[in-house]
Amino acid sequence: MFAFVLALSMALLPPGETAEPPLAGETLKVPVSVKAMPGRLCVIRAETNCKRAVWIIPTTIEADANDGGLKLTVVAPKGQYTLYCVVSPGVDQVVIAKVTLDVGEAAPPPPDKPPDNPPPPPAPVHPFITELISLFPSPATALLKGRARLIASVYRLAAKEAMSSDNVTLGELIELITAAFAQIEDTSRPLNVIRTRVKAELVRVMPNLEADLSPATRAIVADVYARAATALEACAK
């Protein structure tokens, strides 16, 4: 995975070198200790006025030296390791610095962070829509679903017409919608129970069919038709 780090020449080691080389002074600065995760890349840098540095590393870790040895990239299994960085600032001069590499357990994954703007909960389905869906025959054939889409389109038209001043009373509006249904050949028979329930709901919210529609009652009537359309569109899927 990595090229082996340059071995330290025996000529660089001072005579009588002990197992614990002397620490560096101002000539060479390295971190005293470095923490890393098993199997993860870790970079150790040396600060020195020398142009080149060599490293003494254990054979149990993999490493690659770059920038003349001033940048050491290592990968190691769990454990604690001692590394030495060596520079030569002058003839017959050697400076050695020790780095303790502490490779611990992998950090647990961070907990899932909730989104900053969680999506709003779905709006509850209106009881009238739920009731109409329950009245739809099941299982439904493709033909029946097609008829449901046609009736839904008429109810969408009714919701729009309810807001038009051309229709003065609810009775006039119902006559207009009945005429529209008459143009859909044989489409209403299998779904008569739903059409009857929609008309009953209109009478409930507007008992007097001959009373003039006000802006407030127009909105109520349009809402009934729109919910009926929504229910049939859901049944037609």
Side-chain angles (χ1 to χ4, degrees), residues 17-29:
E17 178 62 39
T18 64
E20 190 72 21
L23 298 179
E26 293 295 326
T27 307
L28 174 62
K29 292 182 180 180

Side-chain angles (χ1 to χ4, degrees), residues 92-179:
D92 298 328
Q93 290 183 328
V94 173
V95 176
I96 303 176
K98 181 175 75 172
V99 178
T100 299
L101 177 63
D102 186 6
V103 183
E105 295 287 352
D112 293 336
K113 181 183 177 183
D116 294 333
N117 296 307
V125 179
H126 193 278
F128 183 55
I129 296 177
T130 302
E131 180 185 355
L132 293 181
I133 291 175
S134 71
L135 296 176
F136 191 74
S138 179
T141 63
L143 178 61
L144 190 59
K145 290 182 178 181
R147 289 174 176 174
R149 280 190 289 270
L150 285 173
I151 295 177
S153 67
V154 174
Y155 283 146
R156 287 292 177 197
L157 173 64
K160 180 179 179 181
E161 288 295 325
M163 303 304 295
S164 171
S165 59
D166 293 340
N167 303 295
V168 178
T169 67
L170 178 58
E172 291 177 349
L173 180 61
I174 290 177
E175 288 180 6
L176 175 66
I177 302 309
T178 301

